[in-house]
C-alpha cells in the first residue's frame, strides 16, 4: 500500500521522538513492502518562532490531504506566560477542531520489565490494560463564553463546560465499539452529582448502551475513578469521559505505568485524516539531549498503522518489537533509575532491530 503521512515534530523533544517513530515506520514498510511518504510541516512554537500562526494554513492543508498525521508535542516555557490563544497549544486545539477529531484513544498498559518504574506495587499493577476514550472537541476547552473581564478593578475569568447530546453519543459509540473487541466493559466517568453537563452525559451514554447488550456499562464519578485507577487499575477495560476529565485521568494512567514517555494516543474523527501523538508534552527539561523515551511516539505510529492505514499486522509487529525491547532491558534514562541507559535514537534502533 501507498500512504502519505504528514509529520508535525513540534517543539522540545517532539522532533527527537517523532524521528524514531518515522524510523520505525520506514523499517516496517520495508519489511512488509509498503510505500510510505513523509512530509514535515511547521507547527506550534516552531511555527510561531518563524513568524507564523501556531497552526499555519499550509500545515492544515497538508494535514487535510494526508492519510494520517504524526505529531510530536508543542509548547515551551518561553510561551507559557502568553494568553491561551497565542500559545503553541492553540495550534493543537485548532488542529483537533479543524480535523473534527472528537475521540482520543489512550491505551494504558503495564509493560513487562518496567514495573519497577511504576509507583504501584507490582501485584497491583500486573495485568493493567485499559483504554481511555477521551472526548476531544467539546467541553471546557472549547465552550463559549470564555475569557477574562475586569469590572470595577476586579478581575474575573470564565470557561464554559457545554455538551450537546450528539457530541456525547458519537464518542460513547467509539467506546462501546472498542469494548466489543476487548473485554466487554465500559466505565463512563462523570461528575453527575454536581454538573448538569455530566447528568446529560450519563443519560446519553446509558441510551447508547442499549445498542450494545453484549457490553456491560457502569458509571463512576471522576473523583472515585481517580482513586480506583490507583487502587485497582485492572478493574477497568474501556473508560470513556469528557475532555478535561480525560486529560487529567490519562496523565494519571501514564503515571501508573511508570513514565509519560511510554504511552501513545490516537485521535479519530468520523471522516478525514486522523492524528497520532504520544501523550507527553515537550519535556523542556530534557529536550535536545537524546534523553527522551520514544516509546510513546513509536506506539503512536503503531496506532497509525492500525487505525489510519488499516494494517493491523504491521501495528502488532511494531508493538511487539517495542515491548520486546523494554522486556529485554533496553531503557531510556526515564526508566533506568540512574543505571545505564540508551539514547533516544539507540532505543529506536533497538526497536527496528527487533522488527524482523
Ligand atoms: P511534559 O510531558 O512535557 O513533561 C513532564 C515530565 O515528564 C518531565 O519531567 C519530562 O522530562 C518527563 N517526560 C515527558 N515525556 C518524556 C519522554 N518521552 N521521555 C522521558 N521523559 C519524559 O509535561 P509538562 O512539563 O507539564 O509540559 C511541558 C510543555 O509541554 C508545556 O509547554 C506544556 O504546555 C506542553 N505540553 C504539550 C502537550 C502536547 O503537545 N500534546 C501535552 C502536554 C504538555
Amino acid at each position: 500500500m501507498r500512504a502519505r503521512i504528514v509529520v508535525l515534530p513540534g517543539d522540545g523533544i517532539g522532533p527527537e521522538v517523532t524521528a524514531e517513530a518515522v524510523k520505525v515506520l520506514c523499517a516496517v514498510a520495508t519489511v512488509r513492502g509498503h510505500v510510505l511518504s513523509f512530509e514535515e510541516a511547521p507547527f506550534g512554537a516552531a511555527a510561531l518562532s518563524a513568524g507564523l500562526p501556531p497552526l499555519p494554513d499550509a500545515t492544515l492543508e497538508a494535514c487535510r490531504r494526508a492519510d494520517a498525521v504524526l505529531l510530536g508535542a508543542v509548547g515551551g516555557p518561553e510561551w507559557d506566560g502568553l494568553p491561551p490563544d497565542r500559545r503553541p497549544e492553540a495550534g493543537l486545539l485548532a488542529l483537533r477542531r479543524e480535523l473534527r477529531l472528537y475521540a482520543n484513544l489512550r491505551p494504558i498498559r503495564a509493560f513487562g520489565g518496567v514495573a519497577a518504574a511504576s509507583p504501584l506495587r507490582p501485584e497491583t499493577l500486573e495485568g493493567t490494560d485499559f483504554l481511555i476514550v477521551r472526548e476531544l472537541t467539546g467541553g471546557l476547552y472549547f465552550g463559549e463564553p470564555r475569557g477574562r473581564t475586569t469590572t470595577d478593578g476586579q478581575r474575573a475569568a470564565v470557561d464554559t463546560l457545554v455538551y450537546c447530546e450528539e457530541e456525547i453519543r458519537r464518542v460513547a459509540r467509539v467506546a462501546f465499539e472498542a469494548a466489543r473487541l476487548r473485554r466487554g466493559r465500559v466505565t463512563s466517568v462523570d461528575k453527575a452529582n454536581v454538573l448538569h453537563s455530566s447528568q446529560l452525559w450519563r443519560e446519553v451514554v446509558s441510551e447508547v448502551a442499549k445498542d450494545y447488550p453484549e457490553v456491560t456499562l457502569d458509571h463512576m464519578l471522576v473523583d472515585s475513578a481517580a482513586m480506583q485507577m490507583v487502587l485497582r487499575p485492572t478493574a477497568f477495560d474501556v473508560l470513556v469521559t469528557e475532555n478535561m476529565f480525560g486529560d487529567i485521568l490519562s496523565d494519571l494512567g501514564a503515571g501508573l505505568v511508570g513514565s509519560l514517555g511510554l504511552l501513545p494516543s490516537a485521535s479519530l474523527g468520523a471522516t478525514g485524516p486522523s492524528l497520532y501523538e504520544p501523550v507527553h508534552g515537550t519535556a523542556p527539561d530534557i529536550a535536545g539531549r537524546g534523553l527522551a523515551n520514544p516509546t510513546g511516539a513509536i506506539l503512536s505510529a503503531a496506532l497509525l498503522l492500525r487505525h489510519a492505514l488499516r494494517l493491523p499486522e504491521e501495528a502488532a509487529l511494531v508493538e511487539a518489537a517495542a515491548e520486546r525491547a523494554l522486556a529485554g532491558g533496553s531503557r531510556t534514562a526515564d526508566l533506568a533509575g540512574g543505571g545505564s541507559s540508551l539514547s533516544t535514537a539507540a532505543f529506536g534502533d533497538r526497536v527496528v532491530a527487533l522488527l524482523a
Side-chain angles (χ1 to χ4, degrees), residues 31-121:
V31 170
R32 305 283 293 192
H34 303 299
V35 180
L36 303 182
S37 66
F38 297 90
E39 179 189 348
E40 269 196 23
F43 185 59
L48 286 166
S49 305
L52 298 165
L55 173 60
D57 289 344
T59 297
L60 177 59
E61 281 317 308
C63 292
R64 285 201 165 115
R65 287 193 308 268
D67 294 297
V69 181
L70 181 69
L71 169 69
V74 293
E78 64 276 37
W79 309 91
D80 282 349
L82 293 180
D85 56 341
R86 283 170 41 213
R87 291 172 53 144
E89 288 87 338
L92 192 51
L93 295 182
L95 185 63
R96 290 170 180 166
R97 188 183 59 234
E98 292 296 326
L99 298 182
R100 298 171 197 268
L101 303 172
Y102 62 82
N104 183 229
L105 274 48
R106 298 189 170 199
I108 312 271
R109 215 139 52 86
F111 293 96
V114 294
S118 167
L120 297 185
R121 285 198 300 270

Side-chain angles (χ1 to χ4, degrees), residues 13 73-76 80 89 92 260-261 277 280-286 293:
I13 61 169
V74 293
D80 282 349
E89 288 87 338
L92 192 51
L260 265 177
E277 55 177 317
H280 60 74
T282 55
D285 50 334
I286 57 168
N293 184 344

Side-chain angles (χ1 to χ4, degrees), residues 259-283:
S259 172
L260 265 177
L262 286 170
L263 295 180
S265 82
S267 300
L268 314 176
T271 54
S274 40
L275 172 71
Y276 300 85
E277 55 177 317
V279 306
H280 60 74
T282 55

